[in-house]
Amino acid sequence: PENKILKKKDVIDEKYKIYTKEFDLSLNAKNLASKAELNFLRKKFENEYFENKRLINKLAKKLERLFSSLNINSWKFDQDEGYIDPTRLANLVANSGNLQIFKSKNENTEKNTIVSLLLDNSGSMRGKPIITSAITTEIITKVLEKCKVNIEILGFTTREWKGGMSKKKWESTGKVDSPGRLNDLLHIIYKDADVTWNNCKNNLGLILKDGLLKENIDGEAVKWAYKRLLNRKERKKILIVISDGAPVDDSTLSHNSPDILDNHLKETVNIIQQTKSIKLVAIGIGHDVSKYYKNAFVIEDAENLGDVIIDNLMKFLGSKNN
């Protein structure tokens, strides 16, 4: 028995630790820059749009197909009242007693799905990957909003490079061994699911703010996005993580076992995949993330990001609710 207790204790000791959460922030993008700065960054972002005309036109075409596939189930046929269904007029001619020639909007399909896009806001995403992620995100948001699908846009990074306040506190209180996660998290809400795109589109310009993109602690970010989804009333829930590889945080990795962040991400994803309460998909930009996620896709060129997301959305949104 003593041996058993020891083994159990070892397992507990290996569990993910967090040195302190007191400096972590979870903020709406509009609280991370002034209104004027967000306007300026939005204009800068829109300039990138013009340079990506070809990509945007291609996505728009694919999204039109998604749009029509989503609308298939939104009509109830053979109704006694509603809009006249031209395909049923022949029935009326053949049998004047058959008045079920109307179709009506099936309201049940509305607002029954939520998609959450979680963007890796780490320094290595700077440049083309983050801009492509944001453009893709915006196009998808606009279309899904038209399709009556709720959409949330989130981002994750850290407040500082190399540790921030958490590390300073650890240093000033005796540097305990294996302190656990040792940096201050910054989780960003670009768009809340209940806010319309028009009311928050400037927020996405924040990705271009100098110095925003720092380190990435993926496990806690995925858990955060997942918990937000769990609190939603929609039946169908889809979480799409867009990142460029492994979790990296210099201060955490320097003072703990080198696989602390990797293991935590795997463990978190595993738990979510087993619950089956949400559909989890990951897209690795330039890096294979399949060692963490079961549903994972690699994109060598950031330009293909939109295609892959849309193909997956078509698959998941088109499938029946569980």
Side-chain angles (χ1 to χ4, degrees):
E2 203 175 293
N3 209 9
K4 256 188 188 167
I5 290 165
L6 269 176
K7 273 191 180 146
K8 199 169 178 187
K9 188 179 178 302
D10 286 347
V11 171
I12 291 164
D13 284 349
E14 275 172 22
K15 287 280 180 234
Y16 184 70
K17 285 195 296 194
I18 296 165
Y19 181 67
T20 178
K21 287 184 177 182
E22 68 181 294
F23 308 109
D24 295 351
L25 284 181
S26 176
L27 288 175
N28 193 295
K30 66 173 188 286
N31 297 320
L32 286 161
S34 67
K35 213 169 184 174
E37 190 181 6
L38 280 178
N39 277 334
F40 168 74
L41 292 169
R42 174 73 208 182
K43 287 195 176 75
K44 199 169 156 189
F45 177 57
E46 279 171 4
N47 289 339
E48 297 287 346
Y49 244 87
F50 294 116
E51 287 168 29
N52 284 277
K53 267 256 159 42
R54 198 174 52 80
L55 164 76
I56 289 161
N57 291 339
K58 196 166 84 175
L59 287 185
K61 284 198 182 79
K62 275 208 151 186
L63 276 168
E64 270 169 39
R65 290 208 296 278
L66 171 63
F67 191 69
S68 55
S69 78
L70 277 178
N71 282 336
I72 290 167
N73 307 320
S74 60
W75 291 99
K76 278 190 285 201
F77 295 99
D78 301 320
Q79 302 297 302
D80 295 322
E81 54 186 27
Y83 301 89
I84 286 183
D85 177 7
T87 62
R88 300 294 194 273
L89 286 176
N91 296 0
L92 180 64
V93 175
N95 174 6
S96 58
N98 179 8
L99 293 174
Q100 291 182 319
I101 57 158
F102 296 94
K103 60 180 183 175
S104 65
K105 277 254 169 94
N106 189 352
E107 300 298 328
N108 299 345
T109 58
E110 301 200 351
K111 299 290 183 187
N112 215 3
T113 301
I114 180 164
V115 174
S116 178
L117 291 171
L118 178 64
L119 310 180
D120 177 347
N121 287 172
S122 60
S124 53
M125 289 281 286
R126 194 177 293 115
K128 190 141 192 202
I130 197 71
I131 285 164
T132 309
S133 301
I135 288 174
T136 302
T137 297
E138 170 153 343
I139 295 163
I140 285 165
T141 302
K142 284 179 182 167
V143 171
L144 290 186
E145 209 170 70
K146 278 186 194 153
C147 294
K148 302 279 188 277
V149 170
N150 282 325
I151 187 150
E152 174 159 87
I153 306 167
L154 306 171
F156 65 99
T157 184
T158 55
R159 291 178 64 182
E160 298 293 340
W161 290 104
K162 303 185 187 301
M165 302 291 283
S166 305
K167 190 179 179 196
K168 286 192 177 77
K169 185 174 179 174
W170 171 72
E171 286 170 340
S172 67
T173 51
K175 294 190 177 181
V176 295
D177 283 346
S178 303
R181 188 253 293 165
L182 207 53
N183 201 343
D184 318 334
L185 299 185
L186 175 57
H187 288 167
I188 302 164
I189 300 153
Y190 290 104
K191 179 189 178 300
D192 188 279
D194 296 317
V195 177
T196 63
W197 173 246
N198 266 344
N199 284 335
C200 61
K201 66 176 191 177
N202 280 5
N203 287 355
L204 212 50
L206 187 74
I207 57 138
L208 295 176
K209 183 179 165 76
D210 283 342
L212 176 82
L213 310 175
K214 295 189 178 79
E215 315 244 36
N216 57 305
I217 297 172
D218 300 45
E220 288 185 71
V222 170
K223 198 172 181 179
W224 168 63
Y226 170 66
K227 281 185 168 167
R228 286 178 67 91
L229 276 179
L230 276 192
N231 289 327
R232 299 290 307 179
K233 61 193 180 311
E234 293 85 354
R235 278 218 308 268
K236 191 181 282 185
K237 299 171 182 188
I238 300 164
L239 172 57
I240 299 176
V241 183
I242 301 167
S243 82
D244 65 350
V248 177
D249 176 61
D250 196 61
S251 57
T252 302
L253 297 179
S254 303
H255 302 289
N256 293 279
S257 77
D259 52 8
I260 176 175
L261 297 178
D262 251 44
N263 286 347
H264 184 242
L265 175 57
K266 285 176 188 162
E267 193 181 288
T268 305
V269 168
N270 210 9
I271 290 166
I272 294 171
Q273 285 170 171
Q274 282 169 0
T275 64
K276 295 189 168 64
S277 51
I278 71 162
K279 191 86 197 166
L280 176 60
V281 188
I283 294 165
I285 300 183
H287 294 273
D288 183 5
V289 288
S290 62
K291 73 171 189 169
Y292 305 108
Y293 303 88
K294 197 170 68 183
N295 284 321
F297 304 87
V298 188
I299 286 170
E300 289 310 332
D301 176 5
E303 279 224 349
N304 300 333
L305 177 66
D307 284 346
V308 175
I309 294 182
I310 290 165
D311 289 344
N312 277 289
L313 281 174
M314 283 174 151
K315 206 162 70 192
F316 299 135
L317 294 175
S319 67
K320 295 275 179 280
N321 278 318
N322 295 337

